[in-house]
Amino acid sequence: MRDRLLDWAMMIAAAEEAARMTQIQIAGPIVVQALGRKYTTKTGRDTDVTLPAKLLDEAGAGALKELVIWSSTDQYVLRVIADGKIIYSAQYSWFVTVSQEVREIAAFQAQDGRYVLHLSDIKFSKGIRVEAAPAGSSSVTLDEVFWKVELSV
């Protein structure tokens, strides 16, 4: 049954990616029913985010499927709080170090010179909040932030 659910999730992700690639807007969130539970997929995208900022704040049970941050600087701190507990609270450089060992984290400098941070598969039962702040005293602006969550409905 789990393999079947994974197949469904992969088909939904592929459809969302195909829609994004062809610039087709999906009208509203996608709702999937599995094992008697319904899940809705929500996405968000922000550009030119001045720090400090709350990047994501969702209540309920679910999973952060993806969080991707593109920035021209690596001088920021990211904090992920799930169910009231701090999951991550670190500077970009720490994410680079652990990304070599942790499958759910990827941090690297892209060919265009921007710093990319990708987090995935963070489950929560009460809610999730993601915040970012400058690592020092200078101002920081994130170029782009994309997130995708699945929430139980």
Side-chain angles (χ1 to χ4, degrees), residues 73-120:
T73 181
D74 62 352
Q75 296 301 304
Y76 66 91
V77 175
L78 187 74
R79 177 182 252 192
V80 179
I81 303 155
D83 301 330
K85 297 177 184 162
I86 297 172
I87 305 300
Y88 300 118
S89 183
Q91 289 188 2
Y92 176 88
S93 58
W94 179 84
F95 289 102
V96 171
T97 302
V98 299
S99 70
Q100 304 300 314
E101 306 295 329
V102 180
R103 182 182 60 85
E104 295 84 7
I105 299 172
F108 57 92
Q109 190 168 13
Q111 289 183 340
D112 64 2
R114 295 192 300 172
Y115 297 91
V116 180
L117 175 59
H118 181 267
L119 302 180
S120 62

Short mmCIF file of all heavy atoms in Angstrom, two decimals, residues 73-120:
data_model
loop_
_atom_site.label_atom_id
_atom_site.label_comp_id
_atom_site.label_asym_id
_atom_site.label_seq_id
_atom_site.Cartn_x
_atom_site.Cartn_y
_atom_site.Cartn_z
N THR A 73 23.66 36.09 -1.17
CA THR A 73 24.57 36.04 -0.02
C THR A 73 24.30 34.79 0.80
O THR A 73 23.18 34.26 0.80
CB THR A 73 24.42 37.30 0.87
OG1 THR A 73 25.34 37.19 1.97
CG2 THR A 73 23.01 37.43 1.41
N ASP A 74 25.33 34.35 1.50
CA ASP A 74 25.17 33.21 2.40
C ASP A 74 25.12 33.66 3.86
O ASP A 74 25.21 32.85 4.77
CB ASP A 74 26.29 32.19 2.19
CG ASP A 74 27.66 32.76 2.51
OD1 ASP A 74 27.79 33.98 2.74
OD2 ASP A 74 28.63 31.97 2.51
N GLN A 75 24.97 34.94 4.08
CA GLN A 75 25.02 35.50 5.43
C GLN A 75 23.63 35.61 6.07
O GLN A 75 23.15 36.69 6.38
CB GLN A 75 25.71 36.87 5.40
CG GLN A 75 27.17 36.78 4.98
CD GLN A 75 27.97 35.89 5.90
OE1 GLN A 75 28.01 36.10 7.11
NE2 GLN A 75 28.63 34.88 5.34
N TYR A 76 22.98 34.47 6.23
CA TYR A 76 21.69 34.46 6.90
C TYR A 76 21.55 33.20 7.75
O TYR A 76 22.26 32.22 7.57
CB TYR A 76 20.53 34.58 5.91
CG TYR A 76 20.36 33.43 4.96
CD1 TYR A 76 19.54 32.35 5.28
CD2 TYR A 76 20.99 33.41 3.73
CE1 TYR A 76 19.36 31.30 4.41
CE2 TYR A 76 20.81 32.37 2.85
CZ TYR A 76 20.00 31.31 3.20
OH TYR A 76 19.82 30.27 2.32
N VAL A 77 20.61 33.28 8.69
CA VAL A 77 20.30 32.18 9.59
C VAL A 77 18.89 31.71 9.26
O VAL A 77 17.98 32.53 9.11
CB VAL A 77 20.36 32.63 11.07
CG1 VAL A 77 19.91 31.52 12.00
CG2 VAL A 77 21.77 33.10 11.42
N LEU A 78 18.71 30.40 9.14
CA LEU A 78 17.40 29.84 8.89
C LEU A 78 16.96 29.05 10.12
O LEU A 78 17.76 28.29 10.68
CB LEU A 78 17.42 28.91 7.68
CG LEU A 78 16.05 28.41 7.26
CD1 LEU A 78 15.26 29.54 6.58
CD2 LEU A 78 16.17 27.23 6.32
N ARG A 79 15.71 29.24 10.50
CA ARG A 79 15.16 28.54 11.66
C ARG A 79 13.87 27.84 11.22
O ARG A 79 12.98 28.47 10.67
CB ARG A 79 14.87 29.53 12.78
CG ARG A 79 14.23 28.89 13.98
CD ARG A 79 13.94 29.95 15.00
NE ARG A 79 14.89 29.75 16.07
CZ ARG A 79 14.80 30.34 17.24
NH1 ARG A 79 13.88 31.24 17.47
NH2 ARG A 79 15.67 30.07 18.18
N VAL A 80 13.82 26.52 11.45
CA VAL A 80 12.64 25.72 11.16
C VAL A 80 12.10 25.19 12.47
O VAL A 80 12.81 24.51 13.21
CB VAL A 80 12.97 24.55 10.20
CG1 VAL A 80 11.73 23.71 9.93
CG2 VAL A 80 13.58 25.07 8.91
N ILE A 81 10.83 25.49 12.74
CA ILE A 81 10.19 25.10 13.99
C ILE A 81 8.97 24.24 13.64
O ILE A 81 8.05 24.72 12.98
CB ILE A 81 9.76 26.33 14.81
CG1 ILE A 81 10.98 27.20 15.07
CG2 ILE A 81 9.07 25.91 16.10
CD1 ILE A 81 10.65 28.65 15.31
N ALA A 82 8.99 22.98 14.05
CA ALA A 82 7.87 22.08 13.81
C ALA A 82 7.30 21.64 15.15
O ALA A 82 8.04 21.23 16.05
CB ALA A 82 8.33 20.86 13.01
N ASP A 83 5.99 21.77 15.29
CA ASP A 83 5.30 21.39 16.52
C ASP A 83 5.89 22.08 17.76
O ASP A 83 5.98 21.50 18.83
CB ASP A 83 5.33 19.87 16.71
CG ASP A 83 4.68 19.15 15.55
OD1 ASP A 83 3.75 19.71 14.94
OD2 ASP A 83 5.09 18.01 15.23
N GLY A 84 6.32 23.31 17.58
CA GLY A 84 6.86 24.09 18.69
C GLY A 84 8.30 23.76 19.04
O GLY A 84 8.86 24.34 19.97
N LYS A 85 8.94 22.84 18.31
CA LYS A 85 10.32 22.44 18.59
C LYS A 85 11.22 22.90 17.45
O LYS A 85 10.87 22.75 16.27
CB LYS A 85 10.43 20.93 18.74
CG LYS A 85 9.65 20.40 19.92
CD LYS A 85 9.74 18.90 19.98
CE LYS A 85 8.86 18.41 21.13
NZ LYS A 85 8.55 17.01 21.02
N ILE A 86 12.38 23.42 17.79
CA ILE A 86 13.33 23.86 16.77
C ILE A 86 13.96 22.64 16.12
O ILE A 86 14.61 21.83 16.78
CB ILE A 86 14.40 24.77 17.38
CG1 ILE A 86 13.76 26.04 17.94
CG2 ILE A 86 15.47 25.12 16.34
CD1 ILE A 86 14.70 26.93 18.73
N ILE A 87 13.75 22.51 14.83
CA ILE A 87 14.34 21.42 14.05
C ILE A 87 15.72 21.85 13.53
O ILE A 87 16.69 21.12 13.66
CB ILE A 87 13.43 21.03 12.87
CG1 ILE A 87 12.03 20.69 13.34
CG2 ILE A 87 14.05 19.88 12.07
CD1 ILE A 87 11.94 19.53 14.30
N TYR A 88 15.77 23.03 12.95
CA TYR A 88 17.03 23.61 12.47
C TYR A 88 17.07 25.07 12.90
O TYR A 88 16.07 25.78 12.83
CB TYR A 88 17.14 23.57 10.94
CG TYR A 88 17.09 22.19 10.35
CD1 TYR A 88 16.07 21.83 9.48
CD2 TYR A 88 18.08 21.26 10.62
CE1 TYR A 88 16.03 20.57 8.91
CE2 TYR A 88 18.03 19.99 10.06
CZ TYR A 88 17.00 19.66 9.20
OH TYR A 88 16.96 18.41 8.65
N SER A 89 18.22 25.52 13.32
CA SER A 89 18.48 26.92 13.59
C SER A 89 19.97 27.14 13.37
O SER A 89 20.78 26.91 14.27
CB SER A 89 18.08 27.29 15.02
OG SER A 89 18.28 28.68 15.23
N ALA A 90 20.31 27.54 12.14
CA ALA A 90 21.73 27.60 11.80
C ALA A 90 21.97 28.54 10.64
O ALA A 90 21.06 28.87 9.89
CB ALA A 90 22.23 26.20 11.45
N GLN A 91 23.25 28.92 10.51
CA GLN A 91 23.66 29.72 9.37
C GLN A 91 23.77 28.83 8.13
O GLN A 91 23.90 27.61 8.22
CB GLN A 91 25.00 30.38 9.64
CG GLN A 91 24.94 31.47 10.66
CD GLN A 91 26.25 32.24 10.75
OE1 GLN A 91 27.20 32.00 10.03
NE2 GLN A 91 26.28 33.20 11.66
N TYR A 92 23.74 29.47 6.99
CA TYR A 92 23.82 28.77 5.71
C TYR A 92 25.04 27.84 5.69
O TYR A 92 24.94 26.70 5.21
CB TYR A 92 23.88 29.79 4.57
CG TYR A 92 24.06 29.15 3.22
CD1 TYR A 92 22.95 28.73 2.50
CD2 TYR A 92 25.32 28.95 2.69
CE1 TYR A 92 23.11 28.13 1.26
CE2 TYR A 92 25.49 28.35 1.45
CZ TYR A 92 24.38 27.93 0.75
OH TYR A 92 24.54 27.33 -0.47
N SER A 93 26.17 28.27 6.21
CA SER A 93 27.40 27.47 6.16
C SER A 93 27.24 26.12 6.85
O SER A 93 27.81 25.12 6.42
CB SER A 93 28.57 28.24 6.76
OG SER A 93 28.29 28.59 8.10
N TRP A 94 26.45 26.07 7.92
CA TRP A 94 26.20 24.79 8.60
C TRP A 94 25.42 23.85 7.68
O TRP A 94 25.72 22.66 7.61
CB TRP A 94 25.42 25.03 9.90
CG TRP A 94 25.12 23.75 10.63
CD1 TRP A 94 25.94 23.10 11.49
CD2 TRP A 94 23.92 22.98 10.54
NE1 TRP A 94 25.32 21.95 11.95
CE2 TRP A 94 24.07 21.86 11.37
CE3 TRP A 94 22.73 23.12 9.83
CZ2 TRP A 94 23.09 20.89 11.53
CZ3 TRP A 94 21.75 22.15 9.99
CH2 TRP A 94 21.93 21.06 10.83
N PHE A 95 24.43 24.39 6.96
CA PHE A 95 23.65 23.56 6.04
C PHE A 95 24.55 22.99 4.94
O PHE A 95 24.37 21.85 4.51
CB PHE A 95 22.49 24.36 5.44
CG PHE A 95 21.40 24.65 6.43
CD1 PHE A 95 21.29 25.90 7.01
CD2 PHE A 95 20.48 23.67 6.78
CE1 PHE A 95 20.28 26.17 7.91
CE2 PHE A 95 19.46 23.93 7.68
CZ PHE A 95 19.36 25.18 8.26
N VAL A 96 25.53 23.78 4.48
CA VAL A 96 26.48 23.28 3.48
C VAL A 96 27.23 22.08 4.03
O VAL A 96 27.36 21.05 3.36
CB VAL A 96 27.48 24.39 3.05
CG1 VAL A 96 28.59 23.81 2.18
CG2 VAL A 96 26.75 25.51 2.33
N THR A 97 27.71 22.19 5.25
CA THR A 97 28.48 21.12 5.88
C THR A 97 27.66 19.84 6.03
O THR A 97 28.12 18.76 5.64
CB THR A 97 28.99 21.56 7.26
OG1 THR A 97 29.79 22.74 7.10
CG2 THR A 97 29.81 20.48 7.93
N VAL A 98 26.45 19.94 6.55
CA VAL A 98 25.66 18.73 6.79
C VAL A 98 25.00 18.19 5.52
O VAL A 98 24.57 17.04 5.49
CB VAL A 98 24.61 18.92 7.90
CG1 VAL A 98 25.27 19.27 9.21
CG2 VAL A 98 23.57 19.93 7.52
N SER A 99 24.93 18.99 4.48
CA SER A 99 24.28 18.52 3.26
C SER A 99 25.03 17.35 2.62
O SER A 99 24.46 16.60 1.83
CB SER A 99 24.11 19.66 2.25
OG SER A 99 25.35 20.05 1.72
N GLN A 100 26.30 17.19 2.99
CA GLN A 100 27.06 16.06 2.48
C GLN A 100 26.60 14.74 3.09
O GLN A 100 26.82 13.67 2.52
CB GLN A 100 28.56 16.26 2.79
CG GLN A 100 29.13 17.54 2.25
CD GLN A 100 29.01 17.63 0.75
OE1 GLN A 100 29.31 16.67 0.04
NE2 GLN A 100 28.56 18.76 0.25
N GLU A 101 25.94 14.81 4.25
CA GLU A 101 25.56 13.61 4.99
C GLU A 101 24.05 13.42 5.12
O GLU A 101 23.60 12.30 5.36
CB GLU A 101 26.16 13.66 6.41
CG GLU A 101 27.66 13.87 6.44
CD GLU A 101 28.42 12.71 5.82
OE1 GLU A 101 27.95 11.57 5.90
OE2 GLU A 101 29.50 12.96 5.26
N VAL A 102 23.28 14.48 5.03
CA VAL A 102 21.84 14.41 5.29
C VAL A 102 21.08 14.55 3.98
O VAL A 102 21.19 15.56 3.29
CB VAL A 102 21.41 15.52 6.29
CG1 VAL A 102 19.91 15.45 6.55
CG2 VAL A 102 22.18 15.39 7.59
N ARG A 103 20.31 13.54 3.64
CA ARG A 103 19.59 13.48 2.38
C ARG A 103 18.57 14.61 2.22
O ARG A 103 18.33 15.09 1.12
CB ARG A 103 18.89 12.13 2.26
CG ARG A 103 18.14 11.90 0.97
CD ARG A 103 17.43 10.56 0.94
NE ARG A 103 16.44 10.40 1.99
CZ ARG A 103 15.18 10.83 1.92
NH1 ARG A 103 14.76 11.46 0.85
NH2 ARG A 103 14.34 10.64 2.91
N GLU A 104 17.95 15.05 3.29
CA GLU A 104 16.91 16.07 3.23
C GLU A 104 17.43 17.50 3.09
O GLU A 104 16.65 18.43 3.04
CB GLU A 104 16.01 15.98 4.48
CG GLU A 104 15.22 14.71 4.59
CD GLU A 104 16.00 13.56 5.22
OE1 GLU A 104 17.12 13.76 5.70
OE2 GLU A 104 15.47 12.44 5.22
N ILE A 105 18.74 17.67 3.08
CA ILE A 105 19.34 19.00 2.98
C ILE A 105 20.30 19.05 1.80
O ILE A 105 21.15 18.18 1.64
CB ILE A 105 20.12 19.36 4.27
CG1 ILE A 105 19.19 19.38 5.48
CG2 ILE A 105 20.82 20.71 4.12
CD1 ILE A 105 19.91 19.54 6.80
N ALA A 106 20.15 20.10 0.98
CA ALA A 106 21.12 20.37 -0.08
C ALA A 106 21.45 21.86 -0.02
O ALA A 106 20.55 22.69 0.01
CB ALA A 106 20.55 20.01 -1.45
N ALA A 107 22.71 22.18 0.05
CA ALA A 107 23.16 23.58 0.09
C ALA A 107 24.41 23.69 -0.78
O ALA A 107 25.37 22.95 -0.59
CB ALA A 107 23.44 24.01 1.51
N PHE A 108 24.37 24.62 -1.73
CA PHE A 108 25.48 24.75 -2.67
C PHE A 108 25.41 26.12 -3.35
O PHE A 108 24.40 26.81 -3.28
CB PHE A 108 25.41 23.64 -3.73
CG PHE A 108 24.11 23.61 -4.49
CD1 PHE A 108 23.96 24.30 -5.67
CD2 PHE A 108 23.02 22.91 -3.99
CE1 PHE A 108 22.76 24.29 -6.37
CE2 PHE A 108 21.81 22.88 -4.68
CZ PHE A 108 21.68 23.58 -5.86
N GLN A 109 26.50 26.46 -4.02
CA GLN A 109 26.53 27.69 -4.81
C GLN A 109 26.29 27.30 -6.26
O GLN A 109 27.01 26.48 -6.84
CB GLN A 109 27.86 28.41 -4.65
CG GLN A 109 27.83 29.80 -5.25
CD GLN A 109 29.03 30.64 -4.86
OE1 GLN A 109 30.01 30.13 -4.34
NE2 GLN A 109 28.95 31.93 -5.11
N ALA A 110 25.26 27.88 -6.86
CA ALA A 110 24.88 27.57 -8.24
C ALA A 110 25.84 28.22 -9.23
O ALA A 110 26.64 29.09 -8.86
CB ALA A 110 23.45 28.04 -8.51
N GLN A 111 25.74 27.83 -10.48
CA GLN A 111 26.62 28.37 -11.51
C GLN A 111 26.44 29.87 -11.70
O GLN A 111 27.37 30.56 -12.11
CB GLN A 111 26.40 27.64 -12.83
CG GLN A 111 26.92 26.23 -12.80
CD GLN A 111 26.76 25.53 -14.13
OE1 GLN A 111 25.95 25.93 -14.97
NE2 GLN A 111 27.51 24.47 -14.33
N ASP A 112 25.25 30.39 -11.38
CA ASP A 112 25.02 31.84 -11.52
C ASP A 112 25.57 32.62 -10.33
O ASP A 112 25.42 33.84 -10.26
CB ASP A 112 23.54 32.14 -11.74
CG ASP A 112 22.66 31.77 -10.56
OD1 ASP A 112 23.19 31.29 -9.51
OD2 ASP A 112 21.43 31.94 -10.66
N GLY A 113 26.21 31.92 -9.37
CA GLY A 113 26.81 32.59 -8.22
C GLY A 113 25.90 32.68 -7.00
O GLY A 113 26.36 33.03 -5.92
N ARG A 114 24.62 32.37 -7.17
CA ARG A 114 23.70 32.45 -6.04
C ARG A 114 23.85 31.23 -5.14
O ARG A 114 24.24 30.16 -5.58
CB ARG A 114 22.26 32.58 -6.51
CG ARG A 114 21.99 33.86 -7.26
CD ARG A 114 20.52 34.11 -7.49
NE ARG A 114 19.90 33.04 -8.27
CZ ARG A 114 18.60 32.93 -8.47
NH1 ARG A 114 17.77 33.82 -7.95
NH2 ARG A 114 18.11 31.95 -9.18
N TYR A 115 23.52 31.43 -3.87
CA TYR A 115 23.55 30.37 -2.88
C TYR A 115 22.17 29.73 -2.81
O TYR A 115 21.16 30.43 -2.68
CB TYR A 115 23.96 30.91 -1.52
CG TYR A 115 25.36 31.47 -1.53
CD1 TYR A 115 25.58 32.82 -1.82
CD2 TYR A 115 26.46 30.65 -1.28
CE1 TYR A 115 26.86 33.34 -1.86
CE2 TYR A 115 27.74 31.17 -1.32
CZ TYR A 115 27.94 32.50 -1.61
OH TYR A 115 29.21 33.01 -1.65
N VAL A 116 22.13 28.41 -2.89
CA VAL A 116 20.87 27.67 -2.90
C VAL A 116 20.80 26.80 -1.66
O VAL A 116 21.77 26.12 -1.32
CB VAL A 116 20.75 26.78 -4.16
CG1 VAL A 116 19.43 26.02 -4.17
CG2 VAL A 116 20.92 27.61 -5.42
N LEU A 117 19.65 26.83 -1.00
CA LEU A 117 19.39 25.96 0.15
C LEU A 117 18.08 25.24 -0.12
O LEU A 117 17.06 25.89 -0.40
CB LEU A 117 19.31 26.75 1.45
CG LEU A 117 18.93 25.96 2.70
CD1 LEU A 117 19.91 24.83 2.96
CD2 LEU A 117 18.86 26.88 3.90
N HIS A 118 18.10 23.91 -0.05
CA HIS A 118 16.92 23.09 -0.30
C HIS A 118 16.71 22.16 0.88
O HIS A 118 17.59 21.36 1.21
CB HIS A 118 17.11 22.28 -1.59
CG HIS A 118 15.94 21.43 -1.94
ND1 HIS A 118 15.85 20.12 -1.55
CD2 HIS A 118 14.83 21.70 -2.64
CE1 HIS A 118 14.71 19.62 -2.00
NE2 HIS A 118 14.07 20.56 -2.67
N LEU A 119 15.55 22.27 1.52
CA LEU A 119 15.16 21.36 2.60
C LEU A 119 13.95 20.57 2.13
O LEU A 119 13.11 21.10 1.39
CB LEU A 119 14.79 22.13 3.87
CG LEU A 119 15.84 23.06 4.47
CD1 LEU A 119 15.28 23.74 5.71
CD2 LEU A 119 17.11 22.31 4.80
N SER A 120 13.83 19.32 2.60
CA SER A 120 12.68 18.52 2.20
C SER A 120 12.27 17.54 3.30
O SER A 120 13.06 17.24 4.20
CB SER A 120 12.99 17.75 0.91
OG SER A 120 14.07 16.86 1.12
#
